[in-house]
C-alpha cells in the first residue's frame, strides 16, 4: 500500500510496526517514502493521539468521575472505589514534594556504572561511524588514484 499503508501502521500504537519495516525493506520500498511516512505517522499523528489519551485519562476530573461511577455499582461499588481512592491518594502524595525537601536524589553505584557503560557504548558507536566514513573516503581516494593513471595512458 506504499506511503499510506506505512503511515497507518506508524500512526497506531502496535508492536508489529517492526514487521512492517522489514516487509518494506523486502519489497524495496524507497527509504525516503518509508522514512517520511514513519516520521509523519509517529511524530505527528501517534504522538498527538497518545498525548490526548493520557491527558484525558489522567485528568483529575475524569478520574473522579470514573471513581464515582464505580462507587455507584450496586453491592460492590464501595469495595471497588475504596482501594482505588487509597492508591490514587498514595500516588499523589509520592509525586508531591514536601516543604523543605530538596530535589537532588542520590544515585546508587549500580546506576552510576550503568550510566558510564551507556556513555561508553555511545562513544564507541560514534567512533565506529567516524571510522567507517574514513574508510569509505579512503577507498574512494584509492579508486580515484587507480583510475587516474589509466586515463593518462589511454590519452597517449
Amino acid at each position: 500500500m506504499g506511503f499510506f499503508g506505512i503511515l497507518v501502521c506508524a500512526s497506531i500504537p502496535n508492536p508489529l510496526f517492526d514487521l512492517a519495516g522489514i516487509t518494506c525493506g523486502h519489497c524495496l520500498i524507497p527509504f525516503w517514502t518509508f522514512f517520511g511516512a514513519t516520521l509523519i505517522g509517529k511524530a505527528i499523528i501517534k504522538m498527538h493521539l497518545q498525548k490526548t489519551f493520557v491527558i484525558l485519562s489522567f485528568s483529575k476530573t475524569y478520574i473522579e468521575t470514573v471513581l464515582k461511577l464505580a462507587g455507584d455499582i450496586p453491592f460492590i461499588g464501595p469495595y471497588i472505589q475504596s482501594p482505588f481512592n487509597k492508591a490514587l491518594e498514595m500516588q499523589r502524595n509520592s509525586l508531591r514534594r514536601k516543604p523543605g525537601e530538596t530535589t537532588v536524589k542520590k544515585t546508587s553505584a549500580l546506576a552510576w556504572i550503568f550510566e558510564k557503560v551507556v556513555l561508553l557504548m555511545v562513544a564507541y558507536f560514534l567512533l565506529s561511524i567516524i571510522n567507517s566514513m574514513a574508510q569509505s573516503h579512503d577507498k574512494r581516494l584509492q579508486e580515484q588514484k587507480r583510475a587516474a593513471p589509466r586515463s593518462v595512458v589511454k590519452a597517449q
Side-chain angles (χ1 to χ4, degrees):
M1 294 187 56
F3 182 86
F4 293 106
I6 299 166
L7 182 69
V8 169
C9 287
S11 298
I12 56 174
N14 65 4
L16 298 177
F17 182 71
D18 293 339
L19 184 60
I22 293 168
T23 305
C24 288
H26 176 73
C27 295
L28 301 176
I29 300 291
F31 171 76
W32 290 109
T33 301
F34 176 77
F35 183 74
T38 303
L39 182 70
I40 292 168
K42 292 209 176 285
I44 297 173
I45 298 171
K46 181 181 173 186
M47 185 266 307
H48 282 91
L49 287 173
Q50 287 180 331
K51 177 182 69 171
T52 303
F53 174 76
V54 168
I55 289 170
L56 289 177
S57 10
F58 293 106
S59 70
K60 185 176 180 179
T61 306
Y62 287 107
I63 289 177
E64 288 174 354
T65 303
V66 168
L67 286 175
K68 183 183 173 302
L69 291 173
D72 292 341
I73 298 173
F75 303 112
I76 61 169
Y79 298 109
I80 294 173
Q81 189 181 30
S82 178
F84 280 109
N85 277 333
K86 288 179 186 173
L88 187 61
E89 194 58 38
M90 286 175 38
Q91 186 67 28
R92 283 183 186 147
N93 290 336
S94 70
L95 294 174
R96 293 185 179 140
R97 260 192 305 154
K98 279 64 174 178
E101 186 180 40
T102 61
T103 57
V104 178
K105 294 185 179 184
K106 295 180 181 178
T107 59
S108 67
L110 183 62
W112 184 85
I113 291 170
F114 185 72
E115 179 184 342
K116 300 312 176 213
V117 167
V118 169
L119 287 173
L120 285 173
M121 289 171 52
V122 170
Y124 176 75
F125 177 70
L126 291 174
L127 287 174
S128 68
I129 289 174
I130 292 169
N131 187 28
S132 176
M133 289 173 60
Q135 286 177 353
S136 65
H137 180 70
D138 184 54
K139 184 179 177 182
R140 277 195 307 267
L141 290 176
Q142 294 298 328
E143 288 174 357
Q144 288 174 356
K145 284 181 183 178
R146 277 184 256 155
R150 290 181 190 159
S151 61
V152 172
V153 172
K154 288 181 183 178
Q156 292 176 355

